[in-house]
Amino acid sequence: MVTTTRLDCVLGSASTVRAALTQALHHATHRSAFGARLVDQPLMQNVLADVAVESEAATALAIRLAAAQDAGETDFLRLAGAAAKFHVCKRTPAVVAEALEVLGGNGYVEESVLPRLYRQSPLNSIWEGSGNVIALDVLRALERDSASVAAVLAEVEAAAGVDDRFDAAVARLQAELADPADLPLRARRIAGLLALCLQGSLLLQHAPGSVADAFCATRLGGDWGSVLGTLPAGTAVTEIVDRAVVAPA
Protein backbone atom coordinates (compact mmCIF):
# COMPACT_ATOMS: atom_id res chain seq x y z
CA MET A 1 0.00 0.00 0.00
CA VAL A 2 2.79 2.42 0.90
CA THR A 3 4.65 1.72 -2.35
CA THR A 4 1.52 2.27 -4.42
CA THR A 5 0.65 5.46 -2.57
CA ARG A 6 4.14 6.83 -3.17
CA LEU A 7 3.81 5.99 -6.85
CA ASP A 8 0.49 7.86 -6.91
CA CYS A 9 2.16 10.88 -5.30
CA VAL A 10 4.98 10.93 -7.86
CA LEU A 11 2.59 10.49 -10.79
CA GLY A 12 0.30 13.20 -9.43
CA SER A 13 3.15 15.66 -8.96
CA ALA A 14 4.66 14.94 -12.38
CA SER A 15 1.28 15.44 -14.03
CA THR A 16 0.72 18.65 -12.07
CA VAL A 17 4.02 20.01 -13.36
CA ARG A 18 3.10 19.03 -16.91
CA ALA A 19 -0.34 20.66 -16.59
CA ALA A 20 1.24 23.88 -15.31
CA LEU A 21 3.80 23.83 -18.13
CA THR A 22 1.02 23.36 -20.69
CA GLN A 23 -0.78 26.44 -19.37
CA ALA A 24 2.42 28.50 -19.48
CA LEU A 25 3.29 27.35 -22.99
CA HIS A 26 -0.19 28.14 -24.29
CA HIS A 27 -0.11 31.65 -22.85
CA ALA A 28 3.42 32.35 -24.10
CA THR A 29 2.53 31.09 -27.57
CA HIS A 30 -0.48 33.40 -27.91
CA ARG A 31 0.66 36.48 -25.98
CA SER A 32 2.86 39.14 -27.59
CA ALA A 33 4.95 41.81 -25.90
CA PHE A 34 7.83 44.05 -27.03
CA GLY A 35 7.11 43.25 -30.65
CA ALA A 36 7.22 39.45 -30.49
CA ARG A 37 5.42 36.47 -29.01
CA LEU A 38 6.51 35.68 -25.48
CA VAL A 39 7.53 32.19 -26.56
CA ASP A 40 10.07 33.75 -28.93
CA GLN A 41 11.64 36.05 -26.32
CA PRO A 42 15.04 34.68 -25.18
CA LEU A 43 14.48 35.04 -21.44
CA MET A 44 11.00 33.52 -21.60
CA GLN A 45 12.42 30.67 -23.66
CA ASN A 46 14.92 30.06 -20.87
CA VAL A 47 12.16 29.88 -18.27
CA LEU A 48 9.91 27.65 -20.36
CA ALA A 49 12.76 25.34 -21.32
CA ASP A 50 13.87 25.01 -17.70
CA VAL A 51 10.34 24.11 -16.59
CA ALA A 52 10.11 21.68 -19.52
CA VAL A 53 13.34 19.95 -18.42
CA GLU A 54 11.94 19.65 -14.89
CA SER A 55 8.72 18.22 -16.28
CA GLU A 56 10.48 15.69 -18.50
CA ALA A 57 12.73 14.51 -15.67
CA ALA A 58 9.78 14.09 -13.30
CA THR A 59 7.74 12.26 -15.94
CA ALA A 60 10.58 9.93 -16.88
CA LEU A 61 11.09 8.89 -13.27
CA ALA A 62 7.35 8.50 -12.64
CA ILE A 63 6.94 6.28 -15.70
CA ARG A 64 9.95 4.16 -14.69
CA LEU A 65 8.36 3.62 -11.27
CA ALA A 66 5.03 2.72 -12.88
CA ALA A 67 6.76 0.19 -15.14
CA ALA A 68 8.49 -1.30 -12.11
CA GLN A 69 5.14 -1.58 -10.34
CA ASP A 70 3.67 -3.43 -13.32
CA ALA A 71 6.69 -5.72 -13.56
CA GLY A 72 6.81 -6.48 -9.85
CA GLU A 73 10.26 -4.94 -9.33
CA THR A 74 9.79 -4.65 -5.58
CA ASP A 75 13.48 -4.23 -4.81
CA PHE A 76 13.79 -1.26 -7.16
CA LEU A 77 10.57 0.33 -5.93
CA ARG A 78 11.51 0.12 -2.26
CA LEU A 79 14.33 2.66 -2.58
CA ALA A 80 13.60 4.43 -5.87
CA GLY A 81 9.99 5.09 -4.89
CA ALA A 82 10.99 6.79 -1.66
CA ALA A 83 13.69 8.92 -3.29
CA ALA A 84 11.40 9.92 -6.14
CA LYS A 85 8.58 10.77 -3.78
CA PHE A 86 10.89 13.03 -1.82
CA HIS A 87 12.41 14.87 -4.76
CA VAL A 88 9.66 15.13 -7.38
CA CYS A 89 6.91 16.06 -4.94
CA LYS A 90 9.04 18.62 -3.13
CA ARG A 91 10.07 20.31 -6.40
CA THR A 92 6.50 20.68 -7.64
CA PRO A 93 5.35 23.86 -5.79
CA ALA A 94 8.34 25.89 -7.00
CA VAL A 95 7.89 24.70 -10.58
CA VAL A 96 4.16 25.42 -10.63
CA ALA A 97 4.79 28.88 -9.16
CA GLU A 98 7.21 29.62 -11.99
CA ALA A 99 4.65 28.54 -14.57
CA LEU A 100 2.08 30.77 -12.85
CA GLU A 101 4.41 33.74 -13.19
CA VAL A 102 4.51 33.29 -16.96
CA LEU A 103 0.89 34.46 -17.01
CA GLY A 104 1.56 37.31 -14.61
CA GLY A 105 -1.52 38.50 -12.75
CA ASN A 106 -3.74 36.40 -14.99
CA GLY A 107 -2.11 33.32 -13.54
CA TYR A 108 -3.12 34.32 -10.02
CA VAL A 109 -6.83 35.01 -10.51
CA GLU A 110 -9.30 32.16 -10.18
CA GLU A 111 -10.33 32.25 -13.84
CA SER A 112 -6.97 30.62 -14.58
CA VAL A 113 -6.34 26.92 -13.98
CA LEU A 114 -3.04 27.67 -12.26
CA PRO A 115 -4.33 28.85 -8.84
CA ARG A 116 -5.91 25.43 -8.30
CA LEU A 117 -2.73 23.66 -9.41
CA TYR A 118 -0.67 25.87 -7.11
CA ARG A 119 -2.91 25.19 -4.09
CA GLN A 120 -2.72 21.46 -4.72
CA SER A 121 1.01 21.35 -5.48
CA PRO A 122 2.33 20.90 -1.89
CA LEU A 123 -0.08 18.08 -1.06
CA ASN A 124 1.86 15.11 -2.42
CA SER A 125 5.02 16.18 -0.59
CA ILE A 126 3.06 16.06 2.67
CA TRP A 127 0.99 12.97 1.95
CA GLU A 128 2.30 9.55 3.09
CA GLY A 129 5.19 11.11 4.94
CA SER A 130 6.56 14.63 4.78
CA GLY A 131 10.07 15.38 3.53
CA ASN A 132 11.93 14.37 6.67
CA VAL A 133 9.98 11.13 7.06
CA ILE A 134 10.66 10.09 3.47
CA ALA A 135 14.34 11.10 3.58
CA LEU A 136 14.86 9.03 6.71
CA ASP A 137 13.06 6.12 5.05
CA VAL A 138 15.54 6.37 2.18
CA LEU A 139 18.30 5.91 4.77
CA ARG A 140 16.45 2.96 6.26
CA ALA A 141 16.27 1.26 2.86
CA LEU A 142 19.94 1.98 2.19
CA GLU A 143 20.95 0.45 5.53
CA ARG A 144 18.65 -2.59 5.57
CA ASP A 145 17.86 -3.61 2.00
CA SER A 146 20.95 -4.39 -0.05
CA ALA A 147 18.85 -5.80 -2.89
CA SER A 148 17.07 -2.45 -3.26
CA VAL A 149 20.38 -0.59 -3.30
CA ALA A 150 21.74 -2.94 -5.97
CA ALA A 151 18.62 -2.58 -8.14
CA VAL A 152 18.66 1.23 -8.01
CA LEU A 153 22.39 1.52 -8.60
CA ALA A 154 22.07 -0.82 -11.59
CA GLU A 155 19.53 1.60 -13.09
CA VAL A 156 21.80 4.56 -12.38
CA GLU A 157 24.85 2.85 -13.84
CA ALA A 158 23.00 1.97 -17.06
CA ALA A 159 24.03 5.42 -18.33
CA ALA A 160 27.62 5.30 -17.08
CA GLY A 161 30.13 6.79 -19.47
CA VAL A 162 27.57 8.74 -21.52
CA ASP A 163 28.13 12.14 -19.87
CA ASP A 164 31.04 13.30 -17.69
CA ARG A 165 28.78 15.49 -15.53
CA PHE A 166 26.51 12.54 -14.85
CA ASP A 167 29.47 10.31 -14.01
CA ALA A 168 30.75 12.95 -11.56
CA ALA A 169 27.33 13.12 -9.88
CA VAL A 170 27.23 9.34 -9.53
CA ALA A 171 30.69 9.46 -7.95
CA ARG A 172 29.40 12.06 -5.46
CA LEU A 173 26.43 9.80 -4.70
CA GLN A 174 28.68 6.81 -4.09
CA ALA A 175 30.86 8.93 -1.78
CA GLU A 176 27.78 10.02 0.17
CA LEU A 177 26.60 6.43 0.52
CA ALA A 178 30.04 5.26 1.67
CA ASP A 179 30.33 7.92 4.38
CA PRO A 180 28.78 6.69 7.67
CA ALA A 181 29.09 10.04 9.46
CA ASP A 182 26.02 12.10 10.36
CA LEU A 183 23.67 10.12 8.12
CA PRO A 184 20.40 11.51 9.53
CA LEU A 185 21.73 15.03 9.10
CA ARG A 186 22.48 14.26 5.43
CA ALA A 187 19.27 12.33 4.72
CA ARG A 188 17.68 14.97 2.49
CA ARG A 189 20.94 15.52 0.62
CA ILE A 190 21.29 11.81 -0.09
CA ALA A 191 17.64 11.32 -1.09
CA GLY A 192 17.74 14.27 -3.47
CA LEU A 193 21.03 13.27 -5.09
CA LEU A 194 19.81 9.70 -5.53
CA ALA A 195 16.67 10.93 -7.31
CA LEU A 196 18.69 13.29 -9.51
CA CYS A 197 21.03 10.50 -10.55
CA LEU A 198 18.07 8.29 -11.42
CA GLN A 199 16.53 11.08 -13.48
CA GLY A 200 19.83 11.77 -15.21
CA SER A 201 20.26 8.12 -16.12
CA LEU A 202 16.74 7.87 -17.54
CA LEU A 203 17.07 11.06 -19.58
CA LEU A 204 20.46 10.04 -20.97
CA GLN A 205 18.97 6.70 -21.99
CA HIS A 206 15.64 7.84 -23.38
CA ALA A 207 15.33 11.63 -23.87
CA PRO A 208 16.58 13.80 -26.75
CA GLY A 209 20.14 15.01 -26.37
CA SER A 210 19.04 18.63 -25.84
CA VAL A 211 16.97 17.70 -22.78
CA ALA A 212 19.55 15.35 -21.27
CA ASP A 213 22.34 17.86 -21.84
CA ALA A 214 20.40 20.69 -20.16
CA PHE A 215 19.59 18.44 -17.21
CA CYS A 216 23.18 17.30 -16.75
CA ALA A 217 24.57 20.83 -17.11
CA THR A 218 22.26 22.27 -14.48
CA ARG A 219 20.90 19.69 -12.04
CA LEU A 220 24.12 17.65 -12.02
CA GLY A 221 26.88 19.90 -13.34
CA GLY A 222 26.10 22.92 -11.20
CA ASP A 223 25.88 25.49 -14.03
CA TRP A 224 22.51 26.72 -12.79
CA GLY A 225 21.10 29.49 -10.64
CA SER A 226 18.91 29.20 -7.58
CA VAL A 227 15.74 29.77 -9.60
CA LEU A 228 14.28 28.34 -12.79
CA GLY A 229 15.05 30.17 -16.00
CA THR A 230 18.81 30.21 -15.48
CA LEU A 231 19.89 27.63 -18.07
CA PRO A 232 23.43 28.38 -19.32
CA ALA A 233 24.21 30.01 -22.65
CA GLY A 234 24.35 27.50 -25.45
CA THR A 235 21.42 25.42 -24.16
CA ALA A 236 19.09 24.39 -27.00
CA VAL A 237 16.16 26.23 -25.42
CA THR A 238 14.13 26.57 -28.63
CA GLU A 239 14.38 22.84 -29.33
CA ILE A 240 13.36 21.99 -25.77
CA VAL A 241 10.38 24.36 -25.85
CA ASP A 242 9.24 23.12 -29.25
CA ARG A 243 9.32 19.55 -27.95
CA ALA A 244 7.16 20.51 -24.97
CA VAL A 245 4.48 22.35 -26.96
CA VAL A 246 1.37 20.24 -27.46
CA ALA A 247 0.48 20.12 -31.16
CA PRO A 248 -3.14 21.09 -31.94
CA ALA A 249 -5.45 18.14 -32.54
Side-chain angles (χ1 to χ4, degrees):
M1 183 189 72
V2 170
T3 299
T4 303
T5 302
R6 288 176 179 173
L7 172 60
D8 287 344
C9 288
V10 176
L11 287 168
S13 291
S15 61
T16 297
V17 169
R18 176 64 233 196
L21 172 61
T22 299
Q23 294 294 318
L25 287 167
H26 182 271
H27 178 81
T29 301
H30 294 89
R31 170 71 170 168
S32 295
F34 306 106
R37 296 185 307 164
L38 289 179
V39 74
D40 296 323
Q41 302 280 7
L43 186 54
M44 181 59 76
Q45 285 185 333
N46 197 317
V47 172
L48 293 172
D50 215 354
V51 175
V53 169
E54 192 78 25
S55 175
E56 188 131 4
T59 301
L61 185 50
I63 290 174
R64 177 64 182 90
L65 293 177
Q69 177 88 337
D70 289 343
E73 297 178 51
T74 55
D75 290 334
F76 177 79
L77 283 168
R78 171 66 186 94
L79 178 55
K85 198 272 186 188
F86 171 81
H87 180 74
V88 173
C89 298
K90 190 164 288 297
R91 289 287 300 152
T92 298
V95 181
V96 175
E98 198 65 60
L100 186 154
E101 282 197 30
V102 172
L103 278 69
N106 289 332
Y108 197 77
V109 297
E110 292 301 321
E111 284 76 9
S112 166
V113 174
L114 284 162
R116 176 174 60 81
L117 294 178
Y118 186 63
R119 284 195 299 271
Q120 292 175 346
S121 62
L123 175 60
N124 286 326
S125 185
I126 299 167
W127 199 262
E128 208 292 294
S130 58
N132 283 356
V133 172
I134 295 299
L136 291 172
D137 193 48
V138 168
L139 289 189
R140 189 177 301 112
L142 288 169
E143 293 171 347
R144 300 181 182 179
D145 200 332
S146 59
S148 291
V149 177
V152 170
L153 290 181
E155 182 69 56
V156 169
E157 291 164 2
V162 178
D163 186 284
D164 290 342
R165 297 159 299 188
F166 172 76
D167 291 341
V170 174
R172 292 197 302 273
L173 173 63
Q174 292 171 338
E176 291 280 358
L177 298 181
D179 184 0
D182 300 318
L183 280 173
L185 182 69
R186 296 187 291 119
R188 286 189 174 214
R189 178 183 177 90
I190 292 170
L193 183 55
L194 180 57
L196 285 170
C197 287
L198 277 168
Q199 288 180 325
S201 177
L202 292 167
L203 292 179
L204 286 167
Q205 292 179 71
H206 306 296
S210 57
V211 175
D213 179 70
F215 183 90
C216 290
T218 55
R219 279 71 173 173
L220 301 181
D223 190 359
W224 198 33
S226 60
V227 296
L228 291 160
T230 53
L231 295 173
T235 303
V237 291
T238 302
E239 182 179 337
I240 295 171
V241 171
D242 288 346
R243 171 176 166 79
V245 172
V246 179

